[in-house]
Amino acid sequence: MAHFEKELERQEVYRGCIFTLTSHRVGLENGGESRRDIVNHHGGACVAALDEEGRVLLVRQYRFGVKEELLELPAGKLEEGEDPAATAARELEEETGYTAASLTKLTELLPTPAYCTERIYLYQAHGLTKGEQRLDRDEFLDVVALPLAEALEMVLAGKVPDAKTQAGILLLARQQGI
Amino acid sequence: MAHFEKELERQEVYRGCIFTLTSHRVGLENGGESRRDIVNHHGGACVAALDEEGRVLLVRQYRFGVKEELLELPAGKLEEGEDPAATAARELEEETGYTAASLTKLTELLPTPAYCTERIYLYQAHGLTKGEQRLDRDEFLDVVALPLAEALEMVLAGKVPDAKTQAGILLLARQQGI
């Protein structure tokens, strides 16, 4: 049986710079009703890249949401209607200085589908060329290049909590047979 | 160098049933200022369980945020201050009918740390005993038990976009040597 919820009413309750928040009255399968609060986000793109020495390129940055510095794969949010591969290539170049000759898609991720529309497009970069980092004026991060085996150990030890980064490292490790 | 952002002002803009939304003025490393909109969520617990035939227990449910039915590991949100292992055990029992003799932690996940405080505690269940599903009155889902190798194939084919479920299946598969 296919499950469903039917939208009965939609109200925008907040318009932020990264997302809008809407509140919905929905009809349920049993004829009842419920409320769903939804974070509406254009989505993000993320890139797993190995440099010439087989090290995975990560960035370390402060995340205000969790009040911690995190190690993450380079990533950024999509502008409305933007091709996610273009976003991934741009973020890789801006955050690490590397340009990629090509990208292939590793997977797509829904980080919190219960209440958020964000979809993250995760790519693998191929054919890297080193260049200069070009951060936004109010972006602060360090590039950390780790041997893939070491990054995998950190994931398995619970030291890389960012979901997209866990997925990217686990998928790259499987692909490389480690 | 440690990166940071300093909170200058905090305003609650919405109080929903699952999360509250706050808007913050923050001080940056270069002396500038920015705004951060944050979804404040108590966190969630999720459980990866193999049944007596080595099949991973998944639930198929409709997710209004992404307007799709998804396959997910059993999971639920923490009440404030609740032990995440207790949440995981309860959700496994309610959603699938199985009780676990013990749980071990697989990892913790931050699904969207840029703008959301949610942390998902991912457990592995051991020593399952079959019982009866006990869903909430307005919860609708089907249990889908898949051989782990098949679930892994689906993850690798991009057919399991839910982030916590991808992580759980990839970690279980690595542990089981497949």
Side-chain angles (χ1 to χ4, degrees):
Chain A
M1 187 187 70
H3 296 291
F4 67 92
E5 293 179 355
K6 189 178 173 206
E7 178 165 278
L8 302 175
E9 195 183 342
R10 176 188 195 275
Q11 188 193 357
E12 181 175 303
V13 293
Y14 183 74
R15 181 170 288 268
C17 38
I18 307 290
F19 56 78
T20 58
L21 181 64
T22 49
S23 186
H24 306 252
R25 194 163 57 88
V26 300
L28 304 177
E29 292 174 34
N30 62 358
E33 288 189 12
S34 192
R35 182 154 287 283
R36 299 283 177 257
D37 294 330
I38 302 293
V39 173
N40 300 272
H41 185 285
H42 291 317
C46 177
V47 58
L50 297 177
D51 71 6
E52 54 284 323
E53 298 175 46
R55 299 176 305 180
V56 60
L57 298 175
L58 300 165
V59 295
R60 190 174 64 211
Q61 62 192 318
Y62 186 81
R63 290 305 202 174
F64 187 79
V66 293
K67 304 277 199 298
E68 281 178 47
E69 270 195 332
L70 296 179
L71 271 181
E72 299 177 44
L73 292 172
K77 66 177 192 298
L78 304 184
E79 302 307 322
E80 194 168 1
E82 189 180 24
D83 173 13
T87 311
R90 184 188 66 222
E91 294 291 340
L92 177 67
E93 189 172 352
E94 289 179 0
E95 296 190 349
T96 72
Y98 282 91
T99 52
S102 66
L103 296 175
T104 50
K105 199 197 278 185
L106 278 175
T107 194
E108 295 181 13
L109 286 159
L110 297 170
T112 51
Y115 61 84
C116 180
T117 67
E118 183 174 4
R119 184 178 292 265
I120 299 172
Y121 300 83
L122 174 55
Y123 292 91
Q124 180 173 5
H126 307 275
L128 296 195
T129 306
K130 193 163 188 174
E132 292 300 318
Q133 194 188 44
R134 289 197 316 276
L135 298 178
D136 290 341
R137 199 177 48 85
D138 57 358
E139 193 172 31
F140 306 94
L141 56 81
D142 301 317
V143 178
V144 179
L146 289 180
L148 182 57
E150 186 179 327
L152 175 64
E153 279 309 308
M154 290 181 69
V155 167
L156 298 177
K159 292 177 181 168
V160 185
D162 179 57
K164 63 184 180 298
T165 306
Q166 281 197 18
I169 291 172
L170 286 167
L171 289 169
L172 271 191
R174 169 166 284 275
Q175 184 200 82
Q176 303 281 319
I178 62 173
Chain B
M1 185 186 72
H3 297 291
F4 67 93
E5 293 179 355
K6 188 178 174 205
E7 179 165 276
L8 303 175
E9 194 183 343
R10 177 186 192 276
Q11 187 191 359
E12 182 175 302
V13 293
Y14 182 75
R15 179 172 289 267
C17 38
I18 307 291
F19 56 79
T20 58
L21 180 63
T22 49
S23 186
H24 306 251
R25 194 163 57 87
V26 300
L28 303 176
E29 293 174 34
N30 62 358
E33 288 189 11
S34 191
R35 182 154 288 282
R36 299 283 177 257
D37 293 331
I38 302 294
V39 173
N40 300 273
H41 186 287
H42 291 317
C46 176
V47 58
L50 297 177
D51 71 7
E52 54 285 322
E53 298 175 45
R55 299 177 304 181
V56 61
L57 297 176
L58 300 166
V59 295
R60 190 176 63 213
Q61 62 192 319
Y62 185 82
R63 291 303 202 173
F64 187 79
V66 294
K67 305 276 200 298
E68 281 178 48
E69 271 195 332
L70 295 179
L71 272 180
E72 300 177 44
L73 292 173
K77 65 177 192 299
L78 306 184
E79 303 307 322
E80 194 168 2
E82 189 180 25
D83 172 13
T87 312
R90 184 186 68 221
E91 294 291 339
L92 177 67
E93 190 173 351
E94 288 179 1
E95 296 190 350
T96 72
Y98 282 92
T99 52
S102 66
L103 296 175
T104 50
K105 199 196 278 184
L106 277 174
T107 193
E108 295 181 13
L109 286 158
L110 298 169
T112 50
Y115 60 85
C116 181
T117 67
E118 183 175 3
R119 182 178 294 264
I120 299 173
Y121 300 83
L122 174 54
Y123 292 91
Q124 180 173 4
H126 308 276
L128 296 196
T129 306
K130 193 163 187 174
E132 291 300 317
Q133 195 189 44
R134 290 198 317 275
L135 298 178
D136 290 341
R137 199 178 49 84
D138 57 358
E139 194 173 30
F140 306 94
L141 55 81
D142 301 317
V143 178
V144 179
L146 288 180
L148 183 56
E150 187 178 327
L152 176 65
E153 279 310 307
M154 290 181 69
V155 167
L156 299 177
K159 292 176 181 168
V160 185
D162 179 57
K164 63 185 179 300
T165 306
Q166 281 197 17
I169 291 172
L170 287 167
L171 290 169
L172 272 192
R174 168 167 283 276
Q175 185 199 80
Q176 304 281 320
I178 62 172

